[in-house]
Amino acid sequence: LATGDTDGSVYLWNVATGQRTATFKDPGSQGLYDVAFSPDGNLLAVSDVSSSTTDGVVYLWNLATGQLAGTLESFYNSEFADIAFTPDGRFLAAGDTIGNVSFWKVSTGKYQQTLSDQPRKRVIGVAFSPDGDLLATTDTAGAASVWNTKWLTR
């Protein structure tokens, strides 16, 4: 289990014992929006509320070493409200506060593409289908969208 604090700290917990097992601190953070474990359990992605820039940031933490493994940054003036790994763990999707969903290849940190729908409302939910071929998003207007993401895995 991972939880976040308003100061940007992320705590890992052993659910069986209730003991905190690790603490991570996002650089320059003023809080967190979301956390997501990679499917293999090796990485923890953390979307940052506010870093030194107004652009969104997702930090990737290596859970075995406790070290920062990568940083994924937005190309837009927005923060990431929700994040999700593809079921195979190769890509990460991040929905932002102005209606975009951006994708990165996790192993390289390379930006792949951004999807956007009109009207552009804050994306508050992103979730992949079990096969990774579809991405469902929800926004603050109450709309739900389903995107074809087969291009990520082909």
Side-chain angles (χ1 to χ4, degrees):
L1 174 68
T3 60
D5 201 344
T6 56
D7 70 353
S9 296
V10 178
Y11 306 109
L12 297 184
W13 302 87
N14 179 318
V15 178
T17 66
Q19 298 296 309
R20 185 166 56 193
T21 60
T23 301
F24 303 100
K25 177 75 167 108
D26 284 354
S29 178
Q30 295 179 9
L32 309 171
Y33 272 119
D34 196 19
V35 296
F37 288 97
S38 62
D40 64 8
N42 292 328
L43 293 174
L44 179 68
V46 179
S47 61
D48 191 78
V49 167
S50 180
S51 63
S52 58
T53 165
T54 56
D55 291 339
V57 177
V58 175
Y59 296 107
L60 298 175
W61 292 95
N62 181 315
L63 294 176
T65 66
Q67 300 297 309
L68 186 62
T71 302
L72 311 175
E73 295 186 25
S74 173
F75 295 103
Y76 306 98
N77 188 20
S78 65
E79 297 168 335
F80 296 121
D82 197 36
I83 54 179
F85 285 93
T86 53
D88 64 10
R90 294 184 331 142
F91 297 92
L92 184 121
D96 70 25
T97 56
I98 61 170
N100 299 312
V101 179
S102 298
F103 298 86
W104 292 265
K105 188 170 186 176
V106 173
S107 64
T108 63
K110 184 178 177 187
Y111 166 80
Q112 301 294 300
Q113 183 173 337
T114 296
L115 303 175
S116 186
D117 201 6
Q118 299 296 330
R120 293 166 57 112
K121 300 291 182 186
R122 175 191 206 110
V123 176
I124 56 172
V126 295
F128 283 96
S129 62
D131 63 6
D133 287 348
L134 300 173
L135 177 75
T137 62
T138 57
D139 66 29
T140 55
S145 300
V146 178
W147 306 85
N148 182 330
T149 52
K150 287 182 183 180
W151 55 270
L152 280 174
T153 57
R154 306 297 183 247

